[in-house]
Amino acid sequence: MKSTVSDIGLAKTGMLRFYSYYYSISLSIYHKPFLNPVTSCSLRACSTFSYIPDSTESFYDHLLKSCNGLASLKQIHSPLITTNLLLKSLHLGARIIIKYAEVGDPYSARCLFDGINENGYKPCSFIWNTMIRAYANGGHCMETLGLYSRMRRTGISPNNYTYPFVLKACASKVLILQGKAAHGDAFKCGFDLDLHVEAALVDMYAKCGQFGDARKIFDEMAIKDLVCWTAMVTAYEQAEKPEEALILFQKMQKDSLLADLVTIVSVASAISQLGDAKKAGAVHAYSIRHSLIENICVGNSIIAMHAKCGNMDKACLVFDKMDERNVISLNTMLSGYAQNGQASEALMLFESMHDSEVEFNEVTALIMVGVCAYLGSHCLGKKFHDFVTHSKMEIDVNLWNALMDMYAKCGDLETAVDMFNSKQSERDVSSWNVLISGYGMHGHGRQALELFSRMQEEGVEPNHITFTSILSACSHAGLIDEGKKCFANMKKWSVTLEDKHYACMVDMLGRSGFLEEAFDIIKEMPSPPSDAVWGALLLACKIHGNTELGEIAASNLFHLQPNVTGYYILMSNIYAASNKWQEVGMLRQVLRNKGLKKPAAFSVINYGKEFYGFHTGDRENPYWQEVYRKSESLAVELRMAGHVPNLSCALHDVEEEDKEHILKYHSEKLAVAFGIMMIDPGMTIRVTKNLRVCHDCHSALKFISSIYGRKIIVRDTNRFHHFEGGICSCKDYW
DNA sequence: TTAGGGTTAG
């Protein structure tokens, strides 16, 4: 009992003994069979007492405030029935109705409401409003509207309290027709100019996507308070119209209105959508100036905002200064690190939070499994899987899918397949997508197509991600006809063709040399192609040495993404391959002027508990001297086995002899040389590279897998290469 | 004795 009742509350009311008495009554009621405290509230007898003392109401108010579950609510409700106290206080009845709705039992709330209505109370709007509120707050839209309609038929007048609830219900289920009808009713009764009704109307029209109507009501309001302004700002933010939200926020400030925490959370979210670091700084400063940042929700929103603007240093500063943190603060930071490619920072933060009071949850696990997938670290991913298995967390289908995806992205497709097969009854469409995509990135196009057919046989409807995965799988495996068929079938499944689907088609056709056909696809696109589409064409032009089409793709890319180094490098490589050195020089000058640098190639290999990273020509790695010696001897063995260095893969402006020397120390060759030295023979060597594998390394690794009888798996930015017995799983098509 | 904006992570 004491655990559900505030001692302070009891001391204030002095009702401890009173409660003990009724508690014993409620216990005895529960021991009587077949007596449900709610349904038995027929409230037939009327009172022995003509009034209920204020102190009693106050006592029950305290009890209800501290009650947070159905069982304890019923214990409070029971003595009120047996003593008929409920009949004497409509206020208490209303409180219990609301409480039943809050604990998720609208049926009991309705029973009590019907009982009250049938037993002698003079019909009044108050109790009807209470029941309408209970339905509306619980998201029971149709019940709200049904009761509102019955209220009017019964002759009970709706008032200015009724409409905000009814409009809220319409807004929650985007029922614009019913919302408009309620607006009309409010107008007829003269309540449409009430401040609360107007705010609810603004919210309803905005949530139903009718921004013109929402804005008209908002603009014409005689008095606008903070809630109205925030309703409109939030409406724009939720509809992904961040510019409009911020314009309104500025206007609000000109009206000398101070934002509260609700406003600032919405504004921070709007800035997150824009990714505007400068505006993020201004809102951060505002939240400090007005002491809003001390609220944990605001703090978390500011962290998320900085993270989405790419500024993890500032996010970290807020996180470090927080007096109180919760699991959302931690997850926001972890996901920020993950989104900004700072995987090791995410791992360090996760480690550092082990001894804190914040408990990890399923979202933490989802983020961290994603970090392992990003790193391509099989051993770390396996550790997280063990961690999750041994924790109290529930492995739901989302986490299960994330784990499958992690195994696939860490090169362990077998485990991903085993996991998929072990959960037949609980699979969802994402489970199928994960495995189709896994087959695709490992070059198993046929298996991806078979799984796609099986998925349809089992009645699982493919979505836009399924088609991205299957088109990408066909592209990696060079299955052009199959890919075209899938692309044509998308309409059958009512899946809208998105930019990414076109990018897959351009990639598929372009890689296999059908450059003109790929360009035709672009020309047929209903909306302007994104950088992904033009990027796919540019890559294809590089593979097939098409300067003319490459220039078209590049000029679009330089316009769309003027600061992405990779596109300048690709175009420069196309020029270099056709000996257009003047153009090469020009593009390098552009990069210099913009202060852009070619990203350094980097390969990571896991050995024991550690990760060893190698840059091209690395001399910082603690093992670099041994690794260099191994690379020298490998170069000799490769020559003897028939490998001819592909000098076009080295820098273009150095002598031929130097080119061969540079090739020996490419990052993936250094990592594999390290693997051969350190990892037991018979164990797979797993390497992850931050760029695409170069052609010379690809050929060399095939030879190495044969010379040493080792299985080598390399994950590059696009896909996996499994080298074994002198061949690669990509069949030299990548 | 009832009312309007909404919590940040995946």
Side-chain angles (χ1 to χ4, degrees):
Chain A
M1 177 191 81
K2 281 186 180 176
S3 64
T4 58
V5 179
S6 145
D7 286 339
I8 300 167
L10 287 172
K12 274 185 186 165
T13 54
M15 299 296 280
L16 187 57
R17 253 179 289 161
F18 183 84
Y19 182 77
S20 301
Y21 167 67
Y22 281 108
Y23 183 64
S24 62
I25 291 176
S26 75
L27 283 181
S28 65
I29 284 171
Y30 270 95
H31 286 100
K32 286 181 186 172
F34 311 117
L35 188 60
N36 179 318
V38 175
T39 49
S40 67
C41 70
S42 55
L43 304 170
R44 40 189 191 277
C46 229
S47 46
T48 326
F49 305 101
S50 56
Y51 70 97
I52 178 166
D54 286 350
S55 57
T56 310
E57 277 201 352
S58 161
F59 165 71
Y60 276 102
D61 268 347
H62 277 288
L63 286 188
L64 287 167
K65 265 181 203 159
S66 57
C67 153
N68 52 14
L70 184 59
S72 55
L73 176 58
K74 286 193 172 180
Q75 284 192 342
I76 297 167
H77 186 186
S78 299
L80 288 168
I81 301 161
T82 49
T83 56
N84 288 327
L85 282 175
L86 210 51
L87 284 176
K88 295 159 205 159
S89 168
L90 198 58
H91 160 64
L92 269 181
R95 292 291 309 275
I96 294 173
I97 286 174
I98 292 299
K99 206 73 198 179
Y100 270 120
E102 278 176 13
V103 299
D105 187 359
Y107 175 74
S108 294
R110 182 60 189 261
C111 285
L112 183 50
F113 167 78
D114 288 342
I116 289 170
N117 262 344
E118 287 160 11
N119 286 279
Y121 268 111
K122 195 180 160 192
C124 69
S125 301
F126 166 61
I127 200 72
W128 282 79
N129 287 346
T130 303
M131 192 60 226
I132 287 176
R133 172 190 169 198
Y135 277 143
N137 286 350
H140 307 287
C141 177
M142 297 325 287
E143 288 81 359
T144 309
L145 294 174
L147 199 63
Y148 166 65
S149 170
R150 202 177 132 202
M151 178 185 191
R152 300 176 72 219
R153 283 201 309 274
T154 313
I156 308 214
S157 303
N159 59 18
N160 51 324
Y161 289 91
T162 318
Y163 288 103
F165 301 132
V166 173
L167 292 165
K168 182 181 184 171
C170 297
S172 71
K173 293 286 186 295
V174 197
L175 298 175
I176 185 65
L177 290 178
Q178 290 84 340
K180 276 188 175 174
H183 185 183
D185 295 343
F187 173 76
K188 275 185 236 158
C189 313
F191 293 121
D192 63 320
L193 297 178
D194 174 275
L195 179 65
H196 291 90
V197 176
E198 282 180 313
L201 281 168
V202 167
D203 186 56
M204 183 276 293
Y205 279 116
K207 288 205 172 109
C208 292
Q210 310 273 314
F211 282 94
D213 291 325
R215 190 61 194 260
K216 189 164 182 286
I217 294 169
F218 176 80
D219 288 338
E220 288 173 2
M221 284 174 78
I223 304 163
K224 294 187 197 59
D225 66 0
L226 178 62
V227 174
C228 301
W229 280 97
T230 308
M232 203 64 228
V233 170
T234 307
Y236 281 128
E237 180 268 312
Q238 298 271 314
E240 296 182 1
K241 295 172 185 283
E243 287 95 351
E244 281 94 333
L246 293 179
I247 291 169
L248 217 57
F249 176 57
Q250 278 166 350
K251 278 190 186 166
M252 187 183 122
Q253 286 171 290
K254 277 186 192 156
D255 262 26
S256 305
L257 267 169
L258 276 183
D260 68 359
L261 72 99
V262 182
T263 327
I264 220 71
V265 166
S266 275
V267 169
S269 181
I271 292 172
S272 300
Q273 288 174 29
L274 285 175
D276 186 327
K278 201 174 163 193
K279 287 195 170 78
V283 167
H284 186 173
Y286 186 101
S287 69
I288 294 171
R289 257 196 327 274
H290 298 98
S291 307
L292 292 166
I293 201 154
E294 288 150 25
N295 175 279
I296 196 163
C297 281
V298 174
N300 291 345
S301 309
I302 299 285
I303 293 176
M305 173 182 73
H306 283 311
K308 289 195 175 123
C309 294
N311 202 334
M312 283 311 291
D313 288 345
K314 285 194 176 165
C316 192
L317 222 62
V318 178
F319 183 75
D320 287 343
K321 279 190 182 169
M322 282 174 116
D323 291 329
E324 187 197 353
R325 298 177 191 135
N326 59 15
V327 67
I328 297 177
S329 325
L330 170 67
N331 292 345
T332 309
M333 280 296 291
L334 291 174
S335 119
Y337 280 133
Q339 283 159 12
N340 286 290
Q342 293 174 261
S344 47
E345 282 83 354
L347 286 171
M348 280 192 287
L349 177 61
F350 179 80
E351 282 293 323
S352 73
M353 294 299 284
H354 260 291
D355 298 325
S356 78
E357 284 177 0
V358 177
E359 279 199 20
F360 305 138
N361 66 8
E362 285 77 7
V363 179
T364 322
L366 265 176
I367 300 167
M368 292 313 294
V369 169
V371 166
C372 297
Y374 172 84
L375 284 171
S377 167
H378 186 263
C379 91
L380 205 59
K382 178 94 182 48
K383 263 189 196 168
F384 265 100
H385 192 175
D386 291 342
F387 169 77
V388 168
T389 309
H390 293 111
S391 73
K392 286 179 282 181
M393 287 177 215
E394 184 203 347
I395 303 188
D396 66 3
V397 68
N398 294 324
L399 188 49
W400 190 259
N401 290 342
L403 285 163
M404 264 197 319
D405 187 49
M406 178 272 294
Y407 280 114
K409 286 185 174 149
C410 291
D412 185 357
L413 194 55
E414 296 81 1
T415 302
V417 173
D418 288 345
M419 287 181 76
F420 179 83
N421 289 332
S422 71
K423 283 266 177 180
Q424 289 202 5
S425 57
E426 292 160 59
R427 292 192 292 236
D428 66 3
V429 63
S430 300
S431 320
W432 293 85
N433 292 347
V434 163
L435 202 58
I436 289 173
S437 151
Y439 277 132
M441 70 180 81
H442 286 271
H444 305 306
R446 292 278 169 209
Q447 279 100 321
L449 283 165
E450 275 167 30
L451 198 64
F452 182 50
S453 302
R454 233 177 89 198
M455 176 183 184
Q456 293 167 59
E457 282 160 20
E458 292 192 19
V460 182
E461 192 158 331
N463 62 16
H464 63 112
I465 300 169
T466 319
F467 281 98
T468 312
S469 306
I470 198 75
L471 292 174
S472 161
C474 290
S475 177
H476 283 308
L479 300 169
I480 315 297
D481 291 338
E482 292 81 352
K484 280 184 183 173
K485 211 181 282 174
C486 288
F487 188 67
N489 273 343
M490 283 177 69
K491 279 180 200 149
K492 191 181 92 184
W493 292 101
S494 5
V495 173
T496 312
L497 276 167
E498 291 176 33
D499 194 86
K500 61 191 178 188
H501 301 121
Y502 285 100
C504 285
M505 284 306 287
V506 170
D507 185 62
M508 179 195 305
L509 293 165
R511 270 174 202 277
S512 48
F514 300 106
L515 287 170
E516 287 302 330
E517 206 174 326
F519 193 37
D520 288 343
I521 290 260
I522 295 181
K523 285 189 272 192
E524 285 164 16
M525 283 179 70
S527 52
S530 72
D531 55 326
V533 177
W534 288 117
L537 185 68
L538 186 63
L539 180 69
C541 291
K542 193 230 161 194
I543 296 170
H544 299 285
N546 188 324
T547 313
E548 195 185 333
L549 216 47
E551 281 176 336
I552 296 173
S555 69
N556 281 287
L557 285 164
F558 298 160
H559 174 69
L560 288 167
Q561 295 283 352
N563 293 321
V564 175
T565 318
Y567 298 138
Y568 294 95
I569 304 280
L570 265 178
M571 192 62 227
S572 153
N573 289 347
I574 296 173
Y575 283 136
S578 52
N579 291 320
K580 294 189 171 179
W581 299 107
Q582 199 180 342
E583 284 83 351
V584 170
M586 194 186 70
L587 283 179
R588 286 193 184 174
Q589 189 57 46
V590 173
L591 284 179
R592 271 194 293 275
N593 292 346
K594 284 176 173 279
L596 299 173
K597 282 184 181 161
K598 183 182 174 179
F602 191 67
S603 294
V604 178
I605 183 165
N606 183 208
Y607 168 59
K609 288 183 177 175
E610 303 293 330
F611 290 91
Y612 295 86
F614 293 89
H615 289 287
T616 295
D618 202 332
R619 284 170 189 259
E620 286 168 13
N621 189 290
Y623 292 93
W624 78 268
Q625 283 172 316
E626 293 97 311
V627 172
Y628 266 49
R629 277 197 292 277
K630 185 68 191 169
S631 298
E632 294 286 349
S633 67
L634 265 178
V636 176
E637 287 174 275
L638 283 168
R639 278 270 193 197
M640 285 167 64
H643 169 66
V644 181
N646 184 341
L647 301 183
S648 70
C649 297
L651 290 169
H652 293 292
D653 47 4
V654 293
E655 296 300 323
E656 296 294 294
E657 201 175 311
D658 292 336
K659 282 185 181 178
E660 194 171 341
H661 184 70
I662 288 164
L663 285 177
K664 277 187 236 169
Y665 307 125
H666 268 186
S667 68
E668 56 267 57
K669 283 204 195 84
L670 295 179
V672 169
F674 175 84
I676 291 171
M677 281 164 51
M678 310 299 275
I679 297 172
D680 288 342
M683 295 271 287
T684 301
I685 296 170
R686 295 172 190 273
V687 171
T688 301
K689 193 186 170 187
N690 68 334
L691 303 171
R692 273 161 49 85
V693 179
C694 91
H695 279 83
D696 181 70
C697 289
H698 193 267
S699 161
L701 294 182
K702 284 195 292 183
F703 277 102
I704 293 171
S705 73
S706 168
I707 298 167
Y708 285 86
R710 304 284 304 242
K711 193 172 173 187
I712 304 166
I713 301 179
V714 179
R715 189 182 91 166
D716 71 9
T717 42
N718 263 353
R719 58 170 296 154
F720 279 91
H721 299 266
H722 294 248
F723 299 95
E724 196 173 8
I727 54 170
C728 177
S729 60
C730 77
K731 300 181 187 75
D732 301 336
Y733 183 84
W734 86 95

